[in-house]
Amino acid sequence: MDTTILNFYKKSASVVLLTLLFNTPSAIAQEWIYSVVQGDTLSEFSEKHLYKTSYWKQLQKINNIADPKRIPENTKLRIPIHWIKSQPASAQVIKFEGDVVTRNQEGTDSQQVSVGQQLNLGDHLETYSQSSVLIRFADGSEIRVLQNSKIDFNHMTKYGETGMVDSRIRLISGDVESHAETQKGSASRFEIHTPAAISAVRGTRFRTSYTADDTSSNIEVLEGGVAVRGAKTTRLVRAGYGTHVVKNKAPLKPKKLLPAPKLLAYPQPIETIGSQIRWEAIEGAQRYRFIIAESNEFSTVLWDSDSERNAISLPDLSDDIYFLQLRAVDKHGIEGIERVQTFTLNAHPQPPFPMAPNNKATIRGEAPVLEWTQSSEAVSYRLQIASDQQFSNILLDRPSLTSNQFTASELLPTNTYYWRVASLAGDGELGPYSTQRSLTIKPIPATPEPALVQNEREIKLSWALGLPDESYQIQISKDPAFKSIITDSKLTKPEITLERPEGYRYVRVRSLAEDGFAGAWGVTQELTPPPNDNWIYVFGSFVATILLL
């Protein structure tokens, strides 16, 4: 097909759709088309649907009906809208979460909403932080009002039993998500009004927001099409597109919604309160909106938050399966396509926090005492000790400890162990385990008992070989209290050979573990100087002198 002709058809289709969406005073908007069923008569029809039974005569005339009592089945009757009976319609609260209040038109009756509550023309509704409400209109259309939002019910009319409903809501501030049913008849209308724009639909799913600070609205269409009017200019926004409207200005040209962010892997179940969920960054996103609900319909919201990073910390919710909704938000505040996914939370009762000993601690010479904080949700604790980080080989399992400490006297030296603890609630539910810690139990190095062998020139000290990788510290001092240390050295072998000192010296030895832990000093040994032979020479000289006399 020629491009010019194709563009003409596209423009023509848009014009027709805009005309249908906004009910201008045209022949289409002024008439209801009724399909006759068997047994219909004009008088009975008029009595049931019209303000005056006498309208049957005009109906006969404008529809060229030969016999008002015998109308062929499936005949299309054209009925002026202003003849049809109408009465006030109401909306109904289907579900709510958190703090949601309503006030009547006079503003004198403020109350918390209740399921099944009827909302009437002129009522005002307001949601507070982390609150939401699902409202259903007479034609089955629904809106979800999110947190920190205010709306007025401007117009709600029902046209008898025709199925036509005229519903118009004013969004004063906040966010509304709409799922409008296909409108039946030209008098049907579903519109969201804000101070900046009017959004009109005939069956679609879309989002509307209004920010009072900058007097602007955003409209994002997820299904169908929405005609958005601002400053006497109307734009058709199709599915997958959104527009930004500033008060007294025309809507921006619809732009494609940012794609749904891709979530990165997270544990299932999530067992730690405040765990982060991350996702891949979206080009053009200024921030992200993260919503949590109990069902994939997101009829009401449990948690609604923004993040400027591509990560967010989860709130403290009760253990359950939840649905998350993630959207990227552009510089105008237009929210993109949503990513919906489930996650399971199993963080209660909250685990205690391990306190002692420190992680990777080495314990020597005594049984380790394991300590943890008290959990407000626990009546007892379950402690597990294993030989591996995966806890596939559990060596000790204490399922019901009432104290927040345990002396692990069963553990043997020269091994590394891993331990963790969980809370048990009053109903017997076992919560997630704490972060695990490791500890190593090792023996205290043996105290050396040096044997001393000496001759006139050397002194040799030796003692029993200790554990593998042990070394030895040896000190020599002028005094037995080791206040005047002459040498302080480290040996790798359990022996040392020294020259005999000129005076009396004192020596001691202790073992050093591979991590530097020092054992007890051994018995202090006294080193004596070599024998003094000068007296022999003096005595010999004395004897020689006597003999010469």
Side-chain angles (χ1 to χ4, degrees):
M1 183 181 293
D2 184 84
T3 304
T4 304
I5 298 175
L6 183 61
N7 290 335
F8 171 78
Y9 280 128
K10 287 182 178 179
K11 291 179 181 179
S12 300
S14 298
V15 170
V16 170
L17 182 55
L18 290 173
T19 303
L20 290 172
L21 290 171
F22 283 108
N23 295 323
T24 56
S26 62
I28 294 176
Q30 294 298 311
E31 292 183 339
W32 173 42
I33 308 300
Y34 174 76
S35 183
V36 173
V37 298
Q38 188 176 7
D40 275 342
T41 68
L42 288 184
S43 60
E44 291 174 347
F45 176 86
S46 299
E47 183 179 2
K48 182 177 181 181
H49 295 290
L50 307 182
Y51 282 114
K52 297 181 181 179
T53 306
S54 60
Y55 280 151
W56 72 265
K57 294 180 180 179
Q58 289 95 319
L59 279 181
Q60 182 180 11
K61 182 177 181 181
I62 64 176
N63 286 284
N64 298 317
I65 302 299
D67 187 348
K69 294 184 179 181
R70 298 178 183 275
I71 311 172
E73 190 174 358
N74 294 324
T75 298
K76 306 300 182 187
L77 295 181
R78 295 163 43 228
I79 305 101
I81 292 297
H82 62 274
W83 290 2
I84 300 171
K85 292 178 182 178
S86 66
Q87 62 270 0
S90 62
Q92 186 179 42
V93 174
I94 303 302
K95 189 178 180 182
F96 73 94
E97 187 73 39
D99 194 6
V100 183
V101 298
T102 58
R103 291 194 298 272
N104 58 21
Q105 193 168 12
E106 291 75 25
T108 58
D109 184 19
S110 179
Q111 61 179 350
Q112 172 79 12
V113 299
S114 58
V115 173
Q117 178 181 340
Q118 298 296 311
L119 301 170
N120 301 308
L121 178 65
D123 282 352
H124 172 84
L125 181 141
E126 189 167 347
T127 63
Y128 294 90
S129 178
Q130 301 304 340
S131 302
S132 60
V133 59
L134 178 67
I135 298 168
R136 183 175 296 153
F137 293 87
D139 65 346
S141 296
E142 294 180 343
I143 62 170
R144 178 179 60 177
V145 186
L146 299 181
Q147 66 173 346
N148 302 320
S149 298
K150 299 177 182 179
I151 65 169
D152 287 335
F153 295 87
N154 273 6
H155 190 100
M156 293 192 293
T157 301
K158 182 178 179 180
Y159 290 90
E161 299 180 11
T162 65
M164 291 187 293
V165 177
D166 186 350
S167 302
R168 285 170 255 175
I169 308 99
R170 183 171 183 81
L171 175 61
I172 301 168
S173 63
D175 302 85
V176 168
E177 300 189 355
S178 308
H179 192 173
E181 292 293 325
T182 301
Q183 305 298 287
K184 300 174 182 178
S186 56
S188 296
R189 185 182 302 184
F190 186 88
E191 294 180 357
I192 305 291
H193 293 225
T194 74
I198 299 173
S199 303
V201 302
R202 296 189 70 83
T204 191
R205 190 165 70 91
F206 68 107
R207 305 188 292 243
T208 307
S209 64
Y210 179 73
T211 306
D213 292 343
D214 57 7
T215 63
S216 67
S217 280
N218 289 320
I219 295 91
E220 302 116 23
V221 182
L222 305 175
E223 295 176 6
V226 175
V228 179
R229 179 190 295 169
K232 299 181 180 180
T233 301
T234 301
R235 288 192 184 274
L236 174 64
V237 184
R238 294 185 173 86
Y241 286 80
T243 186
H244 179 75
V245 191
V246 177
K247 188 177 181 179
N248 298 324
K249 292 186 178 181
L252 294 183
K253 180 181 178 181
K255 58 180 299 185
K256 195 169 184 178
L257 300 180
L258 292 176
K262 183 179 179 181
L263 287 158
L264 302 180
Y266 51 84
Q268 289 280 27
I270 295 172
E271 295 186 331
T272 305
I273 294 172
S275 291
Q276 282 200 336
I277 288 186
R278 301 176 180 275
W279 53 87
E280 293 182 0
I282 297 292
E283 185 178 355
Q286 298 294 304
R287 57 185 174 89
Y288 301 87
R289 189 168 187 176
F290 195 94
I291 291 174
I292 298 176
E294 291 180 308
S295 73
N296 59 356
E297 296 175 350
F298 288 84
S299 52
T300 56
V301 170
L302 295 174
W303 193 68
D304 186 346
S305 187
D306 287 350
S307 175
E308 295 182 355
R309 304 182 300 117
N310 52 319
I312 200 164
S313 297
L314 294 177
D316 184 4
L317 301 172
S318 58
D319 292 349
D320 208 339
I321 298 174
Y322 295 99
F323 294 82
L324 65 86
Q325 195 179 91
L326 178 63
R327 315 167 189 166
V329 186
D330 71 9
K331 63 181 181 180
H332 295 296
I334 297 174
E335 300 183 7
I337 303 297
E338 56 211 25
R339 173 78 63 188
V340 176
Q341 205 158 305
T342 63
F343 69 93
T344 301
L345 189 65
N346 182 29
H348 297 275
Q350 296 181 42
F353 182 79
M355 293 179 61
N358 292 331
N359 191 33
K360 299 182 179 179
T362 298
I363 308 296
R364 295 179 185 272
E366 58 184 3
V369 178
L370 310 180
E371 295 184 55
W372 53 90
T373 58
Q374 291 186 340
S375 172
S376 60
E377 298 179 349
V379 296
S380 60
Y381 305 94
R382 183 170 189 171
L383 171 70
Q384 289 186 335
I385 302 176
S387 61
D388 62 308
Q389 290 179 287
Q390 293 72 35
F391 282 78
S392 57
N393 184 27
I394 296 176
L395 304 175
L396 184 146
D397 191 348
R398 292 292 183 270
S400 186
L401 297 174
T402 55
S403 172
N404 62 326
Q405 66 173 226
F406 178 79
T407 302
S409 55
E410 297 93 333
L411 304 184
L412 300 175
T414 69
N415 289 320
T416 297
Y417 300 94
Y418 301 87
W419 67 281
R420 63 186 183 181
V421 63
S423 297
L424 276 162
D427 60 1
E429 180 185 1
L430 179 68
Y433 281 98
S434 66
T435 54
Q436 61 176 254
R437 284 192 174 183
S438 69
L439 62 91
T440 301
I441 300 179
K442 294 185 177 181
I444 295 176
T447 302
E449 297 180 0
L452 187 149
V453 177
Q454 60 184 346
N455 55 36
E456 293 180 357
R457 300 179 56 187
E458 295 179 332
I459 298 174
K460 183 177 181 180
L461 287 87
S462 62
W463 53 93
L465 182 66
L467 295 173
D469 299 322
E470 274 189 358
S471 57
Y472 310 95
Q473 182 182 6
I474 185 167
Q475 290 182 342
I476 301 174
S477 175
K478 291 182 178 180
D479 64 286
F482 285 82
K483 293 181 179 179
S484 300
I485 297 174
I486 299 171
T487 61
D488 188 340
S489 56
K490 185 177 179 181
L491 306 174
T492 56
K493 293 182 179 181
E495 61 180 30
I496 186 171
T497 300
L498 304 169
E499 291 185 5
R500 295 194 64 158
E502 294 179 358
Y504 286 92
R505 301 289 183 265
Y506 301 89
V507 63
R508 64 182 181 180
V509 182
R510 65 178 176 181
S511 300
L512 301 175
E514 76 283 356
D515 58 359
F517 182 86
W521 289 107
V523 176
T524 299
Q525 302 274 3
E526 184 182 63
L527 305 181
T528 60
N532 191 343
D533 294 334
N534 290 339
W535 67 273
I536 298 175
Y537 298 110
V538 172
F539 181 74
S541 298
F542 174 74
V543 172
T545 302
I546 294 297
L547 292 175
L548 291 174
L549 290 177

